[in-house]
Coordinates of all heavy atoms in Angstrom, one line a residue:
M24 N 3.8 0.4 14.8 CA 3.1 1.5 14.1 C 2.8 0.9 12.7 O 3.6 0.4 12.0 CB 3.9 2.7 14.0 CG 3.2 3.9 13.3 SD 4.1 5.4 13.3 CE 3.6 6.0 14.8
K25 N 1.5 1.1 12.3 CA 1.1 0.7 10.9 C 1.7 1.6 9.9 O 1.8 2.9 10.1 CB -0.4 0.8 10.9 CG -1.0 0.3 9.6 CD -2.6 0.3 9.8 CE -3.2 -0.1 8.5 NZ -4.7 0.0 8.6
R26 N 2.1 1.1 8.8 CA 2.7 1.9 7.7 C 1.8 1.7 6.4 O 1.6 0.6 6.0 CB 4.1 1.5 7.4 CG 5.0 1.8 8.6 CD 6.4 1.4 8.3 NE 7.2 1.6 9.5 CZ 8.5 1.6 9.6 NH1 9.1 1.4 8.5 NH2 9.1 1.9 10.7
V27 N 1.4 2.8 5.8 CA 0.5 2.7 4.7 C 1.0 3.7 3.6 O 1.4 4.8 3.8 CB -0.9 3.2 5.1 CG1 -1.9 3.1 3.9 CG2 -1.5 2.3 6.2
I28 N 1.1 3.1 2.3 CA 1.4 4.0 1.2 C 0.1 4.4 0.5 O -0.7 3.5 0.3 CB 2.3 3.2 0.2 CG1 3.6 2.8 0.8 CG2 2.6 4.0 -1.1 CD1 4.5 1.9 0.0
V29 N 0.0 5.7 0.3 CA -1.3 6.2 -0.2 C -1.0 7.0 -1.5 O -0.1 7.8 -1.6 CB -1.9 7.2 0.8 CG1 -3.2 7.7 0.3 CG2 -2.0 6.6 2.1
D30 N -1.8 6.7 -2.6 CA -1.8 7.5 -3.8 C -2.6 8.7 -3.6 O -3.7 8.7 -2.9 CB -2.3 6.7 -5.0 CG -2.0 7.3 -6.3 OD1 -0.9 7.2 -6.8 OD2 -3.0 8.0 -6.8
Y31 N -2.3 9.8 -4.2 CA -3.0 11.1 -4.0 C -4.5 10.9 -4.4 O -5.4 11.5 -3.8 CB -2.4 12.2 -4.8 CG -2.9 12.3 -6.2 CD1 -4.0 13.1 -6.5 CD2 -2.3 11.5 -7.2 CE1 -4.5 13.2 -7.8 CE2 -2.8 11.6 -8.5 CZ -3.9 12.4 -8.8 OH -4.4 12.4 -10.0
K32 N -4.8 10.0 -5.4 CA -6.1 9.8 -5.9 C -7.0 9.2 -4.8 O -8.2 9.2 -4.9 CB -6.1 8.9 -7.1 CG -5.5 9.6 -8.3 CD -5.6 8.7 -9.5 CE -4.3 7.9 -9.6 NZ -4.2 7.0 -10.8
K33 N -6.4 8.6 -3.8 CA -7.2 7.9 -2.8 C -7.2 8.6 -1.4 O -7.5 8.0 -0.4 CB -6.7 6.5 -2.6 CG -6.9 5.7 -3.9 CD -6.4 4.3 -3.8 CE -6.6 3.5 -5.1 NZ -6.2 2.1 -5.0
L34 N -6.8 9.9 -1.4 CA -6.8 10.6 -0.2 C -8.2 11.0 0.3 O -9.1 11.3 -0.5 CB -6.0 12.0 -0.3 CG -4.5 11.8 -0.6 CD1 -3.9 13.2 -0.9 CD2 -3.8 11.2 0.6
N35 N -8.4 11.0 1.6 CA -9.7 11.4 2.2 C -9.5 12.7 2.9 O -8.3 13.2 3.0 CB -10.3 10.3 3.1 CG -9.3 10.0 4.2 OD1 -8.4 10.7 4.6 ND2 -9.6 8.8 4.9
A36 N -10.5 13.3 3.3 CA -10.5 14.6 3.9 C -9.6 14.7 5.2 O -8.8 15.6 5.3 CB -11.9 15.1 4.3
P37 N -9.7 13.7 6.1 CA -8.8 13.8 7.3 C -7.3 13.7 6.9 O -6.5 14.4 7.5 CB -9.2 12.6 8.1 CG -10.6 12.3 7.7 CD -10.7 12.7 6.3
L38 N -7.0 12.9 6.0 CA -5.6 12.8 5.6 C -5.1 14.1 4.9 O -4.0 14.6 5.1 CB -5.3 11.6 4.7 CG -3.9 11.2 4.5 CD1 -3.2 11.0 5.8 CD2 -3.9 9.9 3.7
L39 N -6.0 14.7 4.1 CA -5.7 16.0 3.4 C -5.5 17.1 4.5 O -4.6 17.9 4.4 CB -6.7 16.4 2.4 CG -6.5 15.9 1.0 CD1 -7.8 16.1 0.2 CD2 -5.4 16.5 0.4
D40 N -6.3 17.0 5.5 CA -6.1 18.0 6.7 C -4.7 17.9 7.3 O -4.1 18.9 7.5 CB -7.2 17.7 7.8 CG -8.5 18.3 7.5 OD1 -8.6 19.2 6.6 OD2 -9.5 17.7 8.0
L41 N -4.3 16.6 7.5 CA -3.0 16.4 8.1 C -1.9 16.9 7.1 O -0.9 17.5 7.6 CB -2.8 14.9 8.4 CG -3.6 14.4 9.5 CD1 -3.4 12.8 9.6 CD2 -3.2 15.0 10.8
L42 N -2.0 16.6 5.9 CA -1.0 17.1 4.9 C -0.9 18.6 4.9 O 0.2 19.2 4.9 CB -1.3 16.6 3.5 CG -1.0 15.1 3.2 CD1 -1.6 14.7 1.9 CD2 0.5 14.9 3.2
V43 N -2.0 19.3 4.8 CA -2.0 20.8 4.8 C -1.5 21.3 6.1 O -0.7 22.3 6.1 CB -3.5 21.3 4.5 CG1 -3.5 22.8 4.6 CG2 -3.9 20.9 3.1
E44 N -1.8 20.7 7.2 CA -1.3 21.1 8.5 C 0.3 20.9 8.5 O 1.0 21.8 9.0 CB -1.9 20.3 9.6 CG -1.5 20.7 11.0 CD -2.2 19.9 12.0 OE1 -3.5 19.7 11.9 OE2 -1.5 19.4 13.0
R45 N 0.7 19.8 8.1 CA 2.2 19.5 8.1 C 3.0 20.3 7.1 O 4.1 20.7 7.4 CB 2.4 18.0 7.9 CG 3.8 17.5 7.7 CD 4.4 17.0 9.0 NE 5.8 16.8 8.8 CZ 6.4 15.6 8.7 NH1 5.7 14.5 8.7 NH2 7.7 15.6 8.6
Y46 N 2.4 20.5 6.0 CA 3.1 21.2 4.9 C 2.3 22.5 4.5 O 1.8 22.5 3.3 CB 3.3 20.3 3.7 CG 4.1 19.0 4.0 CD1 3.4 17.8 4.2 CD2 5.5 19.0 4.2 CE1 4.1 16.7 4.5 CE2 6.1 17.9 4.6 CZ 5.4 16.7 4.7 OH 6.1 15.5 5.0
P47 N 2.1 23.5 5.3 CA 1.2 24.6 5.0 C 1.7 25.4 3.8 O 0.9 26.0 3.1 CB 1.2 25.4 6.3 CG 2.5 25.0 7.0 CD 2.7 23.6 6.6
D48 N 3.0 25.4 3.6 CA 3.6 26.2 2.4 C 4.0 25.2 1.3 O 4.8 25.6 0.5 CB 4.8 27.0 2.9 CG 4.4 28.0 4.0 OD1 3.3 28.6 3.8 OD2 5.2 28.2 4.9
G49 N 3.5 24.0 1.3 CA 3.9 23.0 0.3 C 5.1 22.2 0.8 O 5.7 22.5 1.9
Y50 N 5.5 21.2 0.1 CA 6.6 20.4 0.5 C 7.8 20.7 -0.5 O 7.6 21.1 -1.6 CB 6.3 18.9 0.5 CG 5.7 18.4 -0.8 CD1 6.6 18.0 -1.8 CD2 4.4 18.4 -1.0 CE1 6.1 17.5 -3.0 CE2 3.8 18.0 -2.2 CZ 4.7 17.5 -3.2 OH 4.2 17.1 -4.4
G51 N 9.0 20.4 0.0 CA 10.2 20.6 -0.8 C 11.0 19.4 -1.0 O 10.6 18.3 -0.5
D52 N 12.1 19.5 -1.6 CA 13.0 18.3 -1.9 C 13.4 17.6 -0.6 O 13.5 16.4 -0.6 CB 14.2 18.7 -2.7 CG 13.9 19.1 -4.1 OD1 12.8 18.7 -4.6 OD2 14.7 19.8 -4.7
R53 N 13.6 18.4 0.5 CA 14.1 17.8 1.7 C 13.0 16.9 2.4 O 13.2 16.1 3.2 CB 14.5 18.8 2.7 CG 15.8 19.5 2.2 CD 16.3 20.5 3.2 NE 15.3 21.5 3.4 CZ 15.5 22.5 4.2 NH1 16.5 22.7 4.9 NH2 14.5 23.4 4.3
D54 N 11.7 17.2 2.0 CA 10.6 16.4 2.6 C 10.3 15.1 1.9 O 9.6 14.3 2.4 CB 9.3 17.3 2.6 CG 9.5 18.6 3.3 OD1 10.0 18.6 4.5 OD2 9.1 19.6 2.8
I55 N 10.9 14.9 0.7 CA 10.6 13.7 -0.1 C 11.4 12.5 0.3 O 12.6 12.7 0.5 CB 10.8 14.1 -1.6 CG1 9.8 15.1 -2.0 CG2 10.6 12.8 -2.4 CD1 9.9 15.6 -3.4
I56 N 10.8 11.4 0.5 CA 11.4 10.1 0.8 C 11.4 9.3 -0.5 O 10.3 9.1 -1.1 CB 10.7 9.4 1.9 CG1 10.7 10.3 3.2 CG2 11.3 8.0 2.2 CD1 9.7 9.8 4.2
S57 N 12.5 8.8 -1.0 CA 12.6 8.0 -2.2 C 13.0 6.6 -1.8 O 13.9 6.4 -1.0 CB 13.6 8.6 -3.2 OG 13.2 9.9 -3.5
F58 N 12.4 5.6 -2.5 CA 12.7 4.2 -2.3 C 12.2 3.4 -3.5 O 11.4 3.9 -4.3 CB 12.1 3.7 -1.0 CG 10.6 3.8 -0.9 CD1 9.8 2.7 -1.3 CD2 10.0 4.9 -0.4 CE1 8.5 2.8 -1.2 CE2 8.6 5.0 -0.4 CZ 7.8 3.9 -0.8
R59 N 12.7 2.2 -3.5 CA 12.2 1.2 -4.6 C 11.1 0.4 -4.0 O 11.2 -0.1 -2.9 CB 13.3 0.3 -5.1 CG 14.3 1.1 -5.9 CD 15.2 0.0 -6.6 NE 16.2 0.7 -7.4 CZ 16.1 1.1 -8.7 NH1 15.0 0.8 -9.3 NH2 17.1 1.7 -9.3
N60 N 10.0 0.2 -4.7 CA 8.9 -0.6 -4.2 C 9.2 -2.1 -4.5 O 10.2 -2.4 -5.1 CB 7.5 -0.1 -4.8 CG 7.4 -0.2 -6.3 OD1 8.3 -0.9 -6.9 ND2 6.4 0.4 -6.8
A61 N 8.2 -2.9 -4.2 CA 8.4 -4.4 -4.5 C 8.6 -4.7 -5.9 O 9.2 -5.7 -6.3 CB 7.2 -5.1 -3.9
Q62 N 8.1 -3.9 -6.8 CA 8.3 -4.1 -8.3 C 9.6 -3.5 -8.8 O 9.8 -3.5 -10.0 CB 7.1 -3.5 -9.1 CG 5.8 -4.2 -8.8 CD 5.1 -3.8 -7.5 OE1 5.3 -2.7 -7.0 NE2 4.4 -4.7 -6.9
G63 N 10.4 -2.9 -7.9 CA 11.7 -2.3 -8.3 C 11.6 -0.9 -8.9 O 12.5 -0.4 -9.4
E64 N 10.4 -0.3 -8.8 CA 10.2 1.1 -9.3 C 10.5 2.1 -8.3 O 10.3 1.9 -7.1 CB 8.7 1.2 -9.8 CG 8.2 0.2 -10.8 CD 6.7 0.2 -10.9 OE1 6.0 0.5 -9.9 OE2 6.3 -0.1 -12.0
W65 N 11.1 3.2 -8.7 CA 11.3 4.3 -7.7 C 10.0 5.0 -7.4 O 9.2 5.3 -8.2 CB 12.3 5.3 -8.3 CG 13.7 4.9 -8.2 CD1 14.5 4.5 -9.1 CD2 14.5 5.0 -7.0 NE1 15.8 4.2 -8.6 CE2 15.8 4.5 -7.3 CE3 14.2 5.3 -5.7 CZ2 16.8 4.4 -6.4 CZ3 15.2 5.2 -4.7 CH2 16.5 4.7 -5.1
V66 N 9.8 5.2 -6.1 CA 8.6 5.9 -5.6 C 9.1 7.0 -4.7 O 10.0 6.9 -3.9 CB 7.8 4.9 -4.7 CG1 6.6 5.6 -4.1 CG2 7.4 3.7 -5.5
E67 N 8.5 8.2 -4.9 CA 8.7 9.4 -4.1 C 7.5 9.7 -3.3 O 6.4 9.7 -3.8 CB 9.1 10.6 -5.0 CG 10.4 10.4 -5.7 CD 10.9 11.6 -6.5 OE1 10.0 12.3 -6.9 OE2 12.1 11.8 -6.7
C68 N 7.7 9.9 -2.0 CA 6.6 10.1 -1.1 C 6.9 11.2 -0.1 O 8.1 11.6 0.1 CB 6.3 8.9 -0.2 SG 5.8 7.4 -1.2
I69 N 5.8 11.8 0.5 CA 6.0 12.6 1.7 C 5.3 11.9 2.9 O 4.4 11.2 2.7 CB 5.5 14.1 1.5 CG1 4.0 14.0 1.1 CG2 6.3 14.8 0.5 CD1 3.4 15.4 1.0
E70 N 5.8 12.2 4.1 CA 5.3 11.5 5.2 C 4.4 12.3 6.1 O 4.6 13.5 6.2 CB 6.5 11.1 6.1 CG 6.1 10.4 7.4 CD 7.4 10.1 8.2 OE1 8.4 9.8 7.7 OE2 7.2 10.2 9.5
V71 N 3.3 11.7 6.5 CA 2.4 12.3 7.5 C 2.1 11.2 8.5 O 1.8 10.1 8.1 CB 1.2 13.0 6.9 CG1 0.3 12.0 6.2 CG2 0.4 13.8 7.9
T72 N 2.1 11.6 9.8 CA 1.9 10.5 10.8 C 0.7 10.9 11.8 O 0.5 12.0 12.1 CB 3.2 10.4 11.7 OG1 4.3 10.2 10.8 CG2 3.1 9.3 12.7
T73 N 0.0 9.9 12.1 CA -1.1 10.0 13.1 C -0.6 9.2 14.4 O 0.6 8.7 14.4 CB -2.4 9.4 12.7 OG1 -2.2 8.0 12.4 CG2 -2.9 10.1 11.4
E74 N -1.4 9.1 15.4 CA -1.0 8.4 16.6 C -0.6 6.9 16.3 O 0.3 6.4 16.9 CB -2.1 8.4 17.6 CG -2.4 9.8 18.2 CD -3.5 9.7 19.2 OE1 -3.8 8.6 19.7 OE2 -3.9 10.8 19.6
D75 N -1.3 6.3 15.4 CA -1.0 4.9 15.2 C -0.6 4.5 13.8 O -0.3 3.3 13.5 CB -2.3 4.1 15.5 CG -3.5 4.4 14.6 OD1 -3.4 5.4 13.9 OD2 -4.5 3.7 14.7
T76 N -0.5 5.4 12.8 CA -0.2 5.1 11.5 C 0.8 6.1 10.8 O 0.6 7.3 11.0 CB -1.5 5.1 10.6 OG1 -2.4 4.2 11.2 CG2 -1.2 4.6 9.2
M77 N 1.8 5.6 10.1 CA 2.6 6.5 9.3 C 2.2 6.3 7.9 O 2.2 5.2 7.3 CB 4.1 6.1 9.4 CG 5.0 6.9 8.5 SD 6.7 6.4 8.1 CE 7.2 5.5 9.6
Y78 N 1.8 7.4 7.2 CA 1.3 7.4 5.9 C 2.5 8.0 5.0 O 3.1 9.0 5.3 CB 0.1 8.3 5.7 CG -1.1 7.8 6.4 CD1 -1.5 8.3 7.6 CD2 -1.9 6.9 5.8 CE1 -2.6 7.8 8.3 CE2 -3.1 6.4 6.4 CZ -3.4 6.9 7.7 OH -4.5 6.4 8.3
L79 N 2.8 7.3 3.9 CA 3.6 7.8 2.9 C 2.8 8.1 1.7 O 2.2 7.2 1.1 CB 4.7 6.8 2.5 CG 5.7 6.5 3.6 CD1 6.7 5.4 3.1 CD2 6.5 7.7 4.0
V80 N 2.6 9.4 1.4 CA 1.8 9.8 0.3 C 2.6 10.0 -1.0 O 3.6 10.8 -1.0 CB 1.0 11.1 0.6 CG1 0.1 11.5 -0.5 CG2 0.2 10.9 1.9
K81 N 2.3 9.3 -2.0 CA 3.0 9.4 -3.3 C 3.0 10.8 -3.8 O 1.9 11.4 -3.9 CB 2.5 8.4 -4.3 CG 2.7 6.9 -3.9 CD 2.1 6.0 -5.0 CE 2.2 4.6 -4.6 NZ 1.7 3.7 -5.7
V82 N 4.1 11.3 -4.2 CA 4.3 12.6 -4.7 C 4.0 12.7 -6.2 O 4.4 11.8 -7.0 CB 5.7 13.1 -4.4 CG1 6.0 14.5 -5.1 CG2 6.0 13.2 -3.0
S83 N 3.2 13.7 -6.6 CA 3.0 14.0 -8.0 C 2.6 15.4 -8.1 O 2.3 16.1 -7.1 CB 1.9 13.1 -8.5 OG 0.6 13.4 -8.0
K84 N 2.5 16.0 -9.3 CA 2.1 17.3 -9.5 C 0.6 17.5 -9.0 O 0.2 18.5 -8.5 CB 2.2 17.7 -11.0 CG 3.6 17.9 -11.4 CD 3.7 18.3 -12.9 CE 5.1 18.3 -13.3 NZ 5.3 18.6 -14.7
R85 N -0.2 16.4 -9.2 CA -1.6 16.5 -8.8 C -1.8 16.5 -7.3 O -2.7 17.0 -6.8 CB -2.3 15.3 -9.4 CG -2.4 15.4 -10.9 CD -3.3 14.3 -11.5 NE -3.3 14.4 -13.0 CZ -4.0 13.6 -13.7 NH1 -4.7 12.6 -13.2 NH2 -4.0 13.7 -15.0
L86 N -0.8 15.9 -6.6 CA -0.9 16.0 -5.1 C -0.8 17.5 -4.7 O -1.6 17.9 -3.8 CB 0.2 15.2 -4.4 CG 0.3 15.4 -2.9 CD1 -0.9 14.9 -2.2 CD2 1.5 14.6 -2.4
T87 N 0.1 18.2 -5.2 CA 0.3 19.6 -4.9 C -1.0 20.4 -5.2 O -1.5 21.2 -4.4 CB 1.4 20.2 -5.7 OG1 2.6 19.5 -5.4 CG2 1.6 21.7 -5.3
T88 N -1.6 20.1 -6.4 CA -2.8 20.8 -6.8 C -4.0 20.4 -5.8 O -4.7 21.3 -5.4 CB -3.2 20.4 -8.2 OG1 -2.2 20.7 -9.1 CG2 -4.5 21.1 -8.6
A89 N -4.1 19.1 -5.4 CA -5.1 18.7 -4.5 C -5.0 19.4 -3.2 O -6.0 19.8 -2.6 CB -5.1 17.2 -4.4
M90 N -3.7 19.5 -2.7 CA -3.5 20.1 -1.4 C -3.9 21.6 -1.4 O -4.5 22.1 -0.5 CB -2.0 20.0 -0.9 CG -1.7 18.6 -0.5 SD 0.1 18.4 -0.1 CE 0.3 19.5 1.2
E91 N -3.5 22.3 -2.5 CA -3.8 23.7 -2.7 C -5.3 23.9 -2.8 O -5.9 24.8 -2.1 CB -3.1 24.3 -3.9 CG -1.7 24.4 -3.7 CD -0.9 24.8 -5.0 OE1 -1.6 24.8 -6.1 OE2 0.3 25.0 -5.0
E92 N -6.0 23.1 -3.6 CA -7.5 23.2 -3.7 C -8.2 22.9 -2.4 O -9.1 23.6 -2.1 CB -8.0 22.3 -4.8 CG -7.6 22.8 -6.2 CD -8.0 21.8 -7.3 OE1 -8.6 20.8 -7.0 OE2 -7.7 22.1 -8.5
Y93 N -7.7 21.9 -1.7 CA -8.3 21.5 -0.4 C -8.2 22.7 0.6 O -9.1 23.0 1.3 CB -7.8 20.2 0.1 CG -8.4 19.8 1.4 CD1 -9.7 19.2 1.3 CD2 -7.8 19.9 2.6 CE1 -10.4 18.8 2.4 CE2 -8.5 19.5 3.7 CZ -9.7 19.0 3.7 OH -10.4 18.6 4.8
D94 N -7.0 23.2 0.7 CA -6.7 24.3 1.6 C -7.6 25.5 1.3 O -7.9 26.3 2.2 CB -5.2 24.7 1.6 CG -4.8 25.6 2.7 OD1 -5.4 25.4 3.8 OD2 -3.9 26.4 2.6
D95 N -7.9 25.8 0.1 CA -8.7 26.9 -0.3 C -10.2 26.7 0.0 O -11.0 27.6 0.1 CB -8.6 27.2 -1.8 CG -7.2 27.7 -2.2 OD1 -6.5 28.2 -1.3 OD2 -6.8 27.6 -3.3
N96 N -10.6 25.4 0.1 CA -12.0 25.1 0.5 C -12.3 25.4 1.9 O -11.4 25.5 2.7 CB -12.3 23.6 0.2 CG -12.4 23.2 -1.2 OD1 -12.7 24.1 -2.1 ND2 -12.2 22.0 -1.5
D97 N -13.6 25.6 2.2 CA -14.0 25.8 3.6 C -13.6 24.7 4.5 O -13.9 23.5 4.2 CB -15.6 26.0 3.6 CG -16.1 26.4 4.9 OD1 -15.3 26.8 5.8 OD2 -17.3 26.3 5.1
S98 N -13.0 25.0 5.6 CA -12.5 23.9 6.5 C -13.6 23.2 7.2 O -13.4 22.2 7.9 CB -11.5 24.5 7.5 OG -12.2 25.5 8.3
D99 N -14.9 23.7 7.1 CA -16.0 23.0 7.7 C -16.5 21.8 6.9 O -17.3 21.1 7.4 CB -17.1 24.0 8.0 CG -16.8 25.0 9.0 OD1 -15.9 24.8 9.9 OD2 -17.3 26.1 8.9
E100 N -16.0 21.7 5.7 CA -16.5 20.6 4.9 C -16.0 19.3 5.4 O -14.8 19.2 5.9 CB -16.0 20.7 3.4 CG -16.7 21.9 2.7 CD -16.3 21.9 1.2 OE1 -15.9 20.9 0.7 OE2 -16.4 23.0 0.7
D101 N -16.8 18.2 5.4 CA -16.4 16.9 5.9 C -15.5 16.1 4.9 O -14.7 15.4 5.3 CB -17.6 16.1 6.2 CG -18.3 16.7 7.4 OD1 -17.7 17.3 8.3 OD2 -19.6 16.4 7.5
E102 N -15.8 16.3 3.6 CA -15.1 15.5 2.6 C -14.8 16.3 1.4 O -15.4 17.3 1.1 CB -16.0 14.3 2.1 CG -16.2 13.3 3.2 CD -17.0 12.1 2.6 OE1 -16.9 11.8 1.4 OE2 -17.8 11.6 3.4
I103 N -13.8 15.9 0.6 CA -13.5 16.4 -0.7 C -13.3 15.2 -1.6 O -12.7 14.2 -1.3 CB -12.2 17.3 -0.7 CG1 -12.0 17.9 -2.0 CG2 -11.0 16.5 -0.2 CD1 -10.9 19.0 -2.1
D104 N -14.0 15.3 -2.7 CA -13.9 14.2 -3.7 C -12.8 14.4 -4.7 O -12.8 15.3 -5.5 CB -15.3 14.1 -4.4 CG -15.3 12.9 -5.4 OD1 -14.5 12.0 -5.2 OD2 -16.2 12.9 -6.2
I105 N -11.7 13.6 -4.5 CA -10.6 13.7 -5.4 C -10.7 12.7 -6.5 O -10.4 12.9 -7.6 CB -9.3 13.6 -4.6 CG1 -9.2 14.7 -3.6 CG2 -8.1 13.5 -5.5 CD1 -8.0 15.2 -3.2
S106 N -11.1 11.5 -6.1 CA -11.1 10.4 -7.1 C -12.4 9.6 -7.1 O -12.5 8.7 -7.8 CB -9.9 9.5 -7.0 OG -10.0 8.8 -5.8
G107 N -13.2 9.9 -6.1 CA -14.4 9.0 -5.9 C -14.2 7.8 -5.0 O -15.0 7.0 -4.9
S108 N -13.0 7.7 -4.4 CA -12.7 6.6 -3.6 C -12.1 7.0 -2.3 O -11.2 7.9 -2.2 CB -11.7 5.6 -4.3 OG -11.3 4.6 -3.4
N109 N -12.6 6.4 -1.2 CA -12.0 6.7 0.1 C -11.1 5.6 0.6 O -10.6 5.6 1.7 CB -13.1 6.9 1.1 CG -13.8 8.3 0.9 OD1 -13.1 9.2 0.5 ND2 -15.1 8.4 1.2
D110 N -10.9 4.6 -0.2 CA -10.0 3.5 0.2 C -8.6 3.9 -0.1 O -8.2 4.1 -1.3 CB -10.4 2.2 -0.6 CG -9.5 1.0 -0.3 OD1 -8.9 1.0 0.7 OD2 -9.5 0.1 -1.2
F111 N -7.7 4.0 0.9 CA -6.4 4.5 0.7 C -5.3 3.6 1.1 O -4.2 4.0 1.0 CB -6.2 5.9 1.3 CG -6.6 5.9 2.7 CD1 -5.6 5.6 3.7 CD2 -7.8 6.3 3.1 CE1 -5.9 5.7 5.0 CE2 -8.2 6.4 4.5 CZ -7.2 6.1 5.4
E112 N -5.6 2.3 1.5 CA -4.5 1.4 1.8 C -4.0 0.7 0.6 O -4.8 0.4 -0.3 CB -4.9 0.4 2.8 CG -4.9 0.9 4.2 CD -5.0 -0.2 5.2 OE1 -4.3 -1.2 5.1 OE2 -5.9 -0.1 6.1
E113 N -2.7 0.6 0.5 CA -2.1 -0.2 -0.6 C -1.3 -1.3 -0.1 O -0.6 -1.2 0.9 CB -1.2 0.7 -1.4 CG -0.5 0.0 -2.5 CD 0.4 0.9 -3.3 OE1 -0.1 1.9 -3.8 OE2 1.6 0.6 -3.4
E114 N -1.5 -2.5 -0.6 CA -0.8 -3.6 -0.1 C 0.0 -4.3 -1.2 O -0.1 -4.1 -2.3 CB -1.8 -4.7 0.5 CG -2.5 -4.1 1.7 CD -3.3 -5.2 2.3 OE1 -3.1 -6.4 2.1 OE2 -4.2 -4.8 3.1

């Protein structure tokens, strides 16, 4: 299974759909995964999984806002522009 760390600024509409579906009432402390990255910095993420990929989405206050705003938008929209970028893989 592919593993990808995603910053909230690089979320696309399908990934936001999965987040809102997995955490309809928001996420809590029990949902947060903490670890040290390659640079030795603490990173906090929440997990969302597709058939072939496990995404760890970096937690921030702006992620919560993005999820709430996206959930309030019409579900028929194809995209939501959060940062102007649809590239969400981090290596």
Side-chain angles (χ1 to χ4, degrees):
M24 180 175 278
K25 184 177 175 180
R26 296 178 184 194
V27 179
I28 298 174
V29 183
D30 190 84
Y31 87 93
K32 292 182 265 184
K33 297 182 181 181
L34 292 176
N35 59 18
L38 197 50
L39 273 168
D40 282 336
L41 290 172
L42 283 169
V43 171
E44 182 180 314
R45 170 96 190 256
Y46 305 101
D48 298 321
Y50 55 88
D52 291 340
R53 292 184 298 181
D54 300 314
I55 296 175
I56 301 166
S57 300
F58 60 93
R59 287 192 184 271
N60 64 12
Q62 292 77 31
E64 303 166 330
W65 277 105
V66 178
E67 293 182 332
C68 300
I69 55 174
E70 179 184 322
V71 65
T72 305
T73 64
E74 290 180 15
D75 62 348
T76 306
M77 178 195 327
Y78 295 96
L79 293 177
V80 181
K81 292 180 183 179
V82 172
S83 71
K84 290 179 184 177
R85 291 184 181 183
L86 171 62
T87 303
T88 303
M90 287 174 63
E91 289 170 355
E92 289 176 2
Y93 184 75
D94 193 30
D95 291 340
N96 285 336
D97 184 12
S98 61
D99 293 333
E100 291 185 24
D101 292 331
E102 293 184 31
I103 183 170
D104 184 14
I105 297 212
S106 70
S108 173
N109 286 330
D110 179 21
F111 54 86
E112 279 194 49
E113 176 179 305
E114 294 187 17

